[in-house]
Amino acid sequence: MEKSIPYKIYLEESEMPKAWYNVRSDMKNKPAPLINPGTLQPMTAEELAGVFCDELIAQELDDTTQYIPIPEEILGFYKMYRPSPLVRAYCLEEKLKTPAKIYYKFEGNNTSGSHKLNSAIAQAYYAKKQGLKGVTTETGAGQWGTALSMACAYLGLDCKVYMVKVSYEQKPFRREVMRTYGATVTPSPSDTTEIGRKILAEHPGTTGSLGCAISEAVEAELKLDGYKYVLGSVLNQVLLHQTVIGLETKAALDKYGIKADMIIGCAGGGSNLGGLVSPFVGEMLRGENNYQIIAVEPASCPSFTRGKFAYDFCDTGKVCPLAKMYTLGSNFIPSANHAGGLRYHGMSPILSQLYHDGLMEARSVEQTAVFEAATQFARVEGILPAPESSHAIRVAIDEAIKCRETGEEKTIVFGLTGTGYFDMVAYEKFNNGEMSDYIPTDEELQKSFDTLPKVDL
Ligand SMILES: *Cc1c(COP(=O)(O)O)cnc(C)c1O
């Protein structure tokens, strides 16, 4: 095989993006605004200021600025672990005997093990700049909490993490990494907040959910002086920060004159996928180019493929604003699948609008098939992938196999968001043949849809 494209395409420091790309600026149909559940009016900057940092609110509400400069301090931090490589998966291609050309953008090459550090450092930076003492947040699988702990340690901020109880117990080493970086980690639901106590009283023995941990983290922030709340996905600002992934990917492809046909990413709250595809979607929106974009989600938590496009609460305690998104309902608690980062009931409002407008498609995949793909990938490409990332691997492999059958030489790019070293309990289940594939029934989903807030706008 001719290998004029290197196995790994790296950018020079001077070629790294210096501004984030705001895809909303090129969207004709803007994502719907966050609304205040009391007044049903769009949330104003003043209202959001109770919860979020000022500069991040400005980014959240900015639908028009195309490029937002990345502050020098953040660029400096990025240089510690970026640019991340765009890898040509020659070994996987050979194994699959496919004429497709497969590339993956690998975001697991930092201690937090995922792309989440890209937004964690930005959010911590703006909190610091505003003179805050610290931040509160939730974490599901632990990747966001880990990334934020690292960013806060670097900037000298306090970090309080509410960690979904099941992960807290199943992933003690993740918890310990966070504590090593100086964070305080509380299993959620806890008795340290009113909402936590309420949920514990209503559901004794519950192992928690992301929606519940968000409510606790927001309540904690409201009661603490000098703290704000930060969130690792879903919000426009997070997707904005994650565009470094897509901008680097595009620069690396352009450097070698490569045109992607298909871009694939896993979707939990939508931040990595949104970050990866934004610059490409921008070209589509401006009529310059065309790509097939595929979001991959777990069949156990199918927000895009089976959810409703509606205003919903972002958290279980209903303390957060309403967002219009593809949602399974804020009461939906997905079965205990092993991709904790993909268990959120909702989806980024930006991606929801793009999906609604037909700019991207979505597929749901079952857990066992995901781990089959993860294992296959690990054995030929060397990297042990995170279960979340392996959703994208599954569909990339499926598409490459289709190319083998049709003889098409498609160029497939997918996001490899992180490594799976803290997910060995999941791999163990798979290796023991004990993994199950739970898919919610229509009746279960309907029960949750019935509780969607009745918002008529
Ligand atoms: C959090 C996480 C995801 C999913 O979150 P998005 O906001 O949808 O990107 C995917 N992969 C990894 C490794 C994660 O940590």
Side-chain angles (χ1 to χ4, degrees):
M1 192 188 295
E2 187 205 341
K3 285 176 186 161
S4 54
I5 307 289
Y7 273 73
K8 285 186 184 166
I9 306 179
Y10 276 107
L11 298 174
E12 303 294 329
E13 251 178 50
S14 60
E15 297 168 310
M16 285 172 67
K18 297 188 179 50
W20 294 301
Y21 166 62
N22 182 4
V23 71
R24 284 167 285 165
S25 66
D26 284 313
M27 289 169 72
K28 265 195 225 81
N29 301 329
K30 308 288 182 198
L34 296 172
I35 62 174
N36 180 322
T39 63
L40 297 187
Q41 294 301 310
M43 293 288 291
T44 61
E46 295 71 47
E47 287 171 321
L48 288 167
V51 180
F52 298 117
C53 307
D54 297 339
E55 195 106 17
L56 292 167
I57 294 170
Q59 294 179 359
E60 191 63 29
L61 300 177
D62 187 340
D63 280 352
T64 52
T65 311
Q66 197 174 22
Y67 284 96
I68 296 179
I70 306 173
E72 272 310 315
E73 293 87 336
I74 300 176
L75 281 175
F77 187 87
Y78 278 170
K79 283 178 190 163
M80 281 199 280
Y81 68 99
R82 309 199 68 83
S84 72
L86 181 70
V87 185
R88 173 75 183 267
Y90 282 116
C91 303
L92 182 63
E93 288 170 22
E94 266 174 40
K95 202 75 179 179
L96 296 174
K97 299 194 170 49
T98 176
K101 299 173 176 66
I102 309 174
Y103 295 85
Y104 57 89
K105 179 72 168 163
F106 181 46
E107 290 292 317
N109 232 344
N110 66 76
T111 297
S112 80
S114 82
H115 65 286
K116 296 220 169 60
L117 198 53
N118 301 331
S119 184
I121 186 61
Q123 297 195 45
Y125 167 79
Y126 292 117
K128 179 77 180 179
K129 203 173 147 214
Q130 196 172 320
L132 298 176
K133 279 188 234 154
V135 291
T136 72
T137 198
E138 75 297 323
T139 196
Q143 288 95 311
W144 168 246
T146 308
L148 189 67
S149 306
M150 285 178 70
C152 286
Y154 179 76
L155 293 167
L157 279 173
D158 185 39
C159 180
K160 298 193 190 304
V161 182
Y162 286 85
M163 185 173 188
V164 177
K165 193 182 277 169
V166 61
S167 299
Y168 183 91
E169 284 160 3
Q170 272 185 4
K171 295 185 167 191
F173 294 150
R174 266 264 176 243
R175 177 182 83 211
E176 232 32 59
V177 176
M178 287 184 251
R179 294 182 60 216
T180 303
Y181 280 95
T184 315
V185 188
T186 308
S188 167
S190 74
D191 59 9
T192 65
T193 63
E194 265 168 50
I195 185 72
R197 287 189 291 273
K198 183 161 169 263
I199 290 167
L200 282 173
E202 282 169 13
H203 309 277
T206 177
T207 52
S209 72
L210 214 46
C212 166
I214 294 175
S215 302
E216 286 207 272
V218 172
E219 183 184 325
E221 171 271 326
L222 290 170
K223 286 184 180 152
L224 286 165
D225 221 22
Y227 283 72
K228 292 288 173 201
Y229 166 73
V230 294
L231 180 65
S233 185
V234 184
L235 296 174
N236 298 341
Q237 55 187 276
V238 183
L239 203 136
L240 176 75
H241 305 146
Q242 294 297 355
T243 60
V244 286
I245 305 173
L247 292 164
E248 281 183 12
T249 302
K250 178 124 181 42
L253 291 173
D254 288 350
K255 196 167 168 174
Y256 285 87
I258 305 159
K259 159 74 174 62
D261 295 304
M262 190 180 275
I263 307 169
I264 303 168
C266 62
S271 74
N272 87 82
L273 177 66
L276 173 64
V277 304
S278 274
F280 301 92
V281 168
E283 292 186 289
M284 290 168 77
L285 290 164
R286 297 189 302 270
E288 298 164 4
N289 236 328
N290 221 353
Y291 303 95
Q292 184 181 6
I293 291 173
I294 308 176
V296 191
E297 58 187 15
S300 58
C301 192
S303 325
F304 270 136
T305 50
R306 293 175 70 199
K308 292 246 189 292
F309 189 36
Y311 266 105
D312 193 13
F313 290 97
C314 297
D315 63 320
T316 312
K318 307 187 174 174
V319 295
C320 295
L322 299 170
K324 187 172 182 192
M325 55 188 175
Y326 277 86
T327 179
L328 298 167
S330 63
N331 285 335
F332 180 76
I333 302 212
S335 69
N337 78 55
H338 291 290
L342 305 183
R343 293 187 71 218
Y344 187 61
H345 66 273
M347 185 55 67
S348 138
I350 295 177
L351 290 191
S352 293
Q353 189 63 50
L354 292 171
Y355 179 66
H356 192 70
D357 291 341
L359 285 136
M360 47 185 272
E361 46 190 280
R363 297 204 192 144
S364 71
V365 289
E366 290 172 29
Q367 183 163 247
T368 309
V370 165
F371 275 82
E372 276 161 14
T375 306
Q376 193 175 5
F377 182 84
R379 290 179 188 178
V380 293
E381 288 289 321
I383 295 169
L384 183 82
E388 292 87 353
S389 324
S390 306
H391 287 67
I393 300 177
R394 173 73 273 163
V395 170
I397 290 180
D398 289 347
E399 289 297 326
I401 290 173
K402 272 191 216 159
C403 288
R404 179 174 72 204
E405 286 154 8
T406 61
E408 283 176 289
E409 292 184 25
K410 283 190 184 165
T411 296
I412 300 172
V413 175
F414 73 88
L416 188 70
T417 50
T419 47
Y421 301 116
F422 291 100
D423 298 283
M424 296 324 288
V425 172
Y427 275 96
E428 182 185 27
K429 283 244 160 64
F430 175 73
N431 292 333
N432 289 343
E434 292 163 357
M435 189 162 268
S436 59
D437 292 319
Y438 185 78
I439 302 175
T441 63
D442 288 341
E443 290 69 36
E444 275 172 77
L445 292 184
Q446 192 54 49
K447 249 173 90 179
S448 179
F449 293 146
D450 288 343
T451 67
L452 282 172
K454 304 274 177 290
V455 179
D456 217 3
L457 288 177

